[in-house]
Amino acid sequence: MLKTSIAPDGKEYPLPTAEENEKERLILEQITKEQRALGRKIVAVQGLGFVGCVMATVVADAEDSNGKPVYYVHGHQRASARSYWKVPMINTGVPPVSSSDEEVPQIFHRCVVEKKNFRATSEDFVYTLVDVVVVDIQLDATKPAFGEAEKGYCDLSAFREGIRTLGSHIRPDCLVLVETTVPPGTCEKVVKPILEEEFIKRGIDIVKNPPLVAHSYERVMPGEHYVASIRDFWRVFSGVNEKSIELCREFLTNVLNVEQYPLTQLDHTNASELSKVMENSYRATNIALTLEWAKFAEQIGVDLFKVRDAIRKRKGTHDNLLRPSLGVGGYCLTKDPVLANWAMGALFGLEGSLDVAIRSVNINDTMPLHTIELIKKVYPELRNLKVAVLGVSYLENLGDTRHSPSKTLVEFLRKDFALVKTHDPYVEAWPELEESVVEREYDAVLPEADVVVFAVGHDQYRKLKPEFVVSSTGKKPLIVDCSNLLNDDTIAAYKALGCKVKGVGKGHI
Ligand code: SAJ
């Protein structure tokens, strides 16, 4: 029975057979020959996830001074049941990611269907044909214990396997450009040695032909400026040797809008790798600090958000002060500090840890418990309490539940036997929280609610009228504002309707 890969729309794609793979190799060879004849360099993008698939189109979309494509791009996705469906889907010119950026479907159609210089494949053989490989495969951090990020670690096995595939296929003069967010030290201590091992197995002299490895991290933000966050955005890069650095500079200069967004070269891949994870650790630490002070503000009758606004008036030095919320979710701030902390010991053999960054991750991961404390101030006993949670996405106005703080909130409420219903206008399913239904209609969650939690800052929640919310519940529910959604007038309106109101950082209520 042929294994299949099922796309989000339910369409089934059978995984390729051995015969089909043999045919595919011939197609890849033919295409590459034709494209080289057109004077194009050949690029492979390894991993067609939310970064790789759009990066591949940005590379394919790059044109020379005569408006001709500089590159032909083979997107490579392993033929896994989970992700193979992306290959046939991309080859119809359809993006495998949904996005509010209308440039995403346009750039896919332009490169796959019109320019015909981007095509997806699952054949490893493709790596024997290319001049550059852009590595965009996933690399996760694991946090085995809630609130104990110091125990977090990174399992590099899948990443190593991906690099080994490259080492056993690529030509010695092929540049391997790592974009994946990796623990500091990975290029020098993991990627380069694996490539050297594979080169030696293939009889390649690694002194004459040292592997060419560069690192340039992506700053993709999949929202409404998805494509621009790759093409029109600053990049940091480095390489394991001079040639790698120069080839990387040439590639990024051809692909990205470096006139407006100049490149920054660092002198070692450790530096470029450290830069990425420090960027997000800085952001995570910034948020964690505001929660610590929000708790203090609540106890002394202060509205932390007004204090924050006052501080942010100092443009250039203090206007990047962030804010507390229900919690810090998403794929970046939750793991990047852990990658660095783990690398200290695992890759550099160093004692000690990044205490401030790790403590910040713990503050951020456990932030939803503060919202539960606010509820318990009014309802000490949560058993059978009916709680309506508005918002399960990790970010406002987006439908992405990865590492959503709402998951922690719902799990801890249910652990104390509260009766929780959830709502989110952007979220269809919530895979991280099994058998959890996410409602789209208010009348499915508000009736009878004792507590209404404004968990995520979706714009439509900000516009909800207090009269509507209170009448929908048929009670005078406790209102909990986790993300500064309710201004003072709205809070006053809820109180006039007989509701109690609590808010993260809102000590003045
Ligand atoms: N959050 C707060 N308080 C804030 C800002 C965010 O609690 O002041 C929470 C959000 O609700 C969310 C989490 O933190 O749960 C992360 O929010 P984010 O705005 O950092 O969004 P992310 O996780 O998508 O972060 C990405 C990062 N981009 C990359 O790594 C390429 C980050 O560096 C960007 O700053 C961020 O997008 C962005 O600005 O959009």
Side-chain angles (χ1 to χ4, degrees), residues 55-106:
M55 176 62 180
T57 58
V58 170
V59 175
D61 209 33
E63 295 180 345
D64 63 18
S65 48
N66 309 317
K68 293 270 180 288
V70 181
Y71 298 107
Y72 180 88
V73 183
H74 293 290
H76 181 268
Q77 174 57 56
R78 282 184 320 173
S80 64
R82 193 165 71 99
S83 297
Y84 173 72
W85 57 268
K86 297 175 187 174
V87 171
M89 180 178 283
I90 287 172
N91 290 340
T92 64
V94 172
V97 286
S98 60
S99 164
S100 54
D101 179 356
E102 78 272 2
E103 207 184 338
V104 170
Q106 291 165 4

Side-chain angles (χ1 to χ4, degrees), residues 218-222 276 279-280 283 287 308 322-325 327-333 336 367 394-396 405:
E218 42 73 25
R219 289 167 161 161
V220 171
M221 282 167 267
K276 167 67 181 183
E279 248 178 43
N280 282 334
R283 190 168 170 85
I287 299 166
R308 172 178 177 257
L322 293 173
R323 56 171 175 73
S325 67
V328 174
Y331 192 53
C332 311
L333 279 57
D336 290 5
M367 203 181 285
Y394 87 85
L395 200 59
E396 60 269 10

